[in-house]
Amino acid sequence: VLVTVSNFNTHIRDNFLSIFPGGESWTAVAHAGGNFTVPSGSITIASGDQSLFRYQRVGKTLHVQFAIGTGTITGTPAYVSVLIPGGYTSAVDQVGVHWYLDNATYDVGVVSIPSGGTTMRFYVKNAGNWQAQTDLLSIRASLTFEVA
């Protein structure tokens, strides 16, 4: 096939799909309370609090898009854990960023995904702890990382 300016995008997409079939589709993650945990205290994410949770695997790369709002935390945990969807495990230690609302304070924090881990750990900035809150927790992220 002769690649020209007019068919370049179609050519790239078709070749990508021949290598990674189904690579353009996303898999939605159904709400489950067990997807969300904290190391101390408790966390409650009701089904209506999860507005987006989906993933797409391309080769050994996993793309995760995630958004929760109006969650509740008791205690002051160091991080919020979210299960890596699809039963995948992280291939190497990885970090990313996320946007959050912690008890009515907006900011950007770090996401840590340990090698061999099955969870994404969401931290607030400056290595602080999450605050106890009722219906004020929100976390949003778009992450890309290597899986085993």
Side-chain angles (χ1 to χ4, degrees):
V1 171
L2 177 64
V3 178
T4 65
V5 171
S6 62
N7 73 1
F8 179 76
N9 287 338
T10 301
H11 178 76
I12 294 298
R13 184 200 68 220
D14 291 348
N15 280 303
F16 175 82
L17 290 175
S18 70
I19 297 168
F20 302 110
E24 289 187 346
S25 62
W26 289 88
T27 301
V29 178
H31 175 269
N35 287 341
F36 312 97
T37 59
V38 290
S40 62
S42 66
I43 185 168
T44 302
I45 307 296
S47 63
D49 297 341
Q50 179 180 306
S51 59
L52 175 68
F53 195 0
R54 65 185 187 169
Y55 68 96
Q56 175 187 63
R57 182 174 176 176
V58 179
K60 289 187 170 252
T61 302
L62 192 67
H63 305 283
V64 177
Q65 292 180 337
F66 171 76
I68 59 169
T70 64
T72 297
I73 290 180
T74 65
T76 56
Y79 56 86
V80 171
S81 285
V82 178
L83 196 63
I84 295 174
Y88 296 110
T89 59
S90 175
V92 297
D93 285 330
Q94 300 166 87
V95 296
V97 296
H98 70 95
W99 172 91
Y100 66 88
L101 175 67
D102 182 30
N103 206 20
T105 300
Y106 293 96
D107 219 323
V108 176
V110 173
V111 182
S112 172
I113 308 166
S115 178
T118 58
T119 62
M120 304 170 284
R121 295 178 181 171
F122 293 81
Y123 293 87
V124 297
K125 75 174 189 176
N126 299 326
N129 285 15
W130 290 91
Q131 298 178 47
Q133 54 200 289
T134 302
D135 294 335
L136 290 173
L137 170 69
S138 180
I139 302 174
R140 301 182 189 295
S142 182
L143 306 166
T144 299
F145 53 95
E146 183 181 352
V147 292

